[in-house]
Structures are given as C-alpha cells and as structure tokens.
Amino acid sequence: MSRFPSEWLALREPVDMASHNQDVLGVCVRTFGDQESLSICDLGAGTGASVRAFAPLLPRRQYWTLVDHDAENLNAAKDILEDWSESAKTIEDRLVLEHAGKHIEVQFAQRDLSADAAPWPAETNLITASALFDLTSESWIARLVKKLASDRLPLLAVLSFDGRIEISPGHTRDERMFRSFCAHQQTDKGFGPASGPGAAAALEIALRNTGYTVTSGDSPWRMEFKSQKLMHETLKGIAAAAAETGAVTENEAANWLDDRISRAESLIIGHRDIFATPQT
C-alpha cells in the first residue's frame, strides 16, 4: 500500500477541513443526531484527521477505531490527538479524550486494507474514510460495499479525487501534465489498478446498486497564497507522477514545474464527498 508521511498529512489537513462538503456532512450529522453514543471505524486513518474533523459534530460519546497499515502514522495519531484534546489518558489499549464536550475513546489497529477491506469491530455503527478510495481498485470497492451492505453500515467517504484540476494563470503544457497525472492515479497503489479519478463515481454506483441512499457533493481543494506550501507540494507531486508515466520527459516536467512554482496563483483539485445509508 502507498505510504503518506505524517508531514504531508499535516500540511493538507487545514485544506481538507475547509473543503468538506457541508451538505453531505449535514446529512450524516442529522442521521445520528438523536443518539447518545456512536462507534466509528476510520479506514486509512493516517494521523487521525477524521477524529479531529468529525468528532465535534457527532454524538456526545464516541468510540473510534483507527485503521491504517502504517505504524508510524498511527503512533503520530496518538500524540496529535493528545495535543488536540482538552484532556487525555491511556486506559489499557485505548486513548480516552475529552474535547469540546465530547467523550472520545480511540483504539488503533494496524491492518493491511488491501488484504482485508472490512476490518471493523462488530459493534461499529459508522464507517469513515478520507482520501482513500481513489487509491483503491473498483474490485476492492465492490468488496467493501458488499460487506457494508451485509453489516448494514452507513459510510462517510470524503475527499475522493475526481480528476478535475484547474490552475491560474495557465501554461501551454498544463493539460498534458494533468492528463498524465490522472493516468498515473490509475496505476496500482497496492489494491490493484487504482480507480483514481473514477473512484467517487464507482463508489456511488456500487452503493446505489446495493440499495443504499446516497448523498454526494463536491469538496474541492482551493489553494491560493495562504496555502501556497501545499500548492507547491501538490505541483511537485503532479510533475513527478506525470514524469513516471513516460508521457512527458523528466526535463519537460521539471521545466513545467519551475514555471508553475514561480507563476501559479491558484490551484483547484476536485474531490467528491459521499454519505450513504442502507435503505430501511
């Protein structure tokens, strides 16, 4: 499975938070609004950003299981969540937090999601995932949705890349670079051929075909001066990925990147958010 360093996850977290589709989140929040407690399993949890993003919106008592294949990120999650919370203590294998009037218990599970698409505990009420599905194959998505339906579990899946990239001012090589990047996004990231920019559509279709009610909406990254560091790191990633495909040379990618770093004023990366519930 692809590895994402904690430094990259920290850099993108503020823009992720600002990008979440509020209509989609609103449906999720209302679904659980009359519940006192909720058990959530976050797939591809990284450093626990989903807890920080969604815990303030969910019921007063929460029990999270953070699943990731990367032990370093899970260890970082413990430290970051302790700093984020108003109080924190460890009880056996759980991190117990108090934050903004919420009681939050967190356990950590190192798992290879490519081998097991459904590692959630039996008592789970909600599955969450952020920036995960574009890394996975359509066959993996189908396996996950089949298990979700079997367990009748809702899913909140946010920030799936949808292939839209806009940059200003433009450059004659932008379209070619972005097309090559999207091709790279469909190469194997550890789950088989990745669905890449088709992930959100594939997930939504699979959920609807399995009898889910789906709410979806756009959640684009919008990067300008205040998020310039993330914009530049994203442009570096696009250039490197495009060069790896062989569709552009390393020299072409480097020249494009130099121009974009020096002249780009804004960058938009399209994403989609989805909340889905099994029909009653």
Side-chain angles (χ1 to χ4, degrees), residues 220-232:
W221 273 3
R222 299 183 184 277
M223 293 168 279
E224 297 176 324
F225 180 76
K226 65 181 179 180
S227 49
Q228 189 178 68
K229 185 174 181 181
L230 177 65
M231 180 167 65
H232 289 173

Side-chain angles (χ1 to χ4, degrees), residues 260-276:
R260 303 291 68 200
I261 292 290
S262 64
R263 294 203 307 122
E265 297 175 0
S266 68
L267 176 66
I268 297 173
I269 305 291
H271 298 99
R272 296 280 289 174
D273 289 356
I274 291 172
F275 177 66

Side-chain angles (χ1 to χ4, degrees), residues 26-102:
V27 176
C28 177
V29 171
R30 289 192 294 273
T31 297
F32 302 105
D34 61 352
Q35 296 186 205
E36 175 66 17
S37 66
L38 193 68
S39 294
I40 309 111
C41 181
D42 189 45
L43 305 180
T47 61
S50 289
V51 179
R52 296 184 288 279
F54 306 135
L57 307 175
L58 294 173
R60 191 176 68 82
R61 300 186 68 86
Q62 300 171 31
Y63 304 89
W64 287 78
T65 300
L66 304 189
V67 179
D68 202 281
H69 75 292
D70 192 320
E72 289 184 25
N73 282 340
L74 289 176
N75 287 332
K78 297 176 185 178
D79 295 335
I80 296 169
L81 286 169
E82 286 181 352
D83 290 341
W84 167 81
S85 67
E86 292 151 16
S87 70
K89 59 184 176 182
T90 300
I91 301 177
E92 297 178 346
D93 62 344
R94 291 170 295 130
L95 186 61
V96 180
L97 311 172
E98 302 292 335
H99 180 81
K102 312 290 183 175

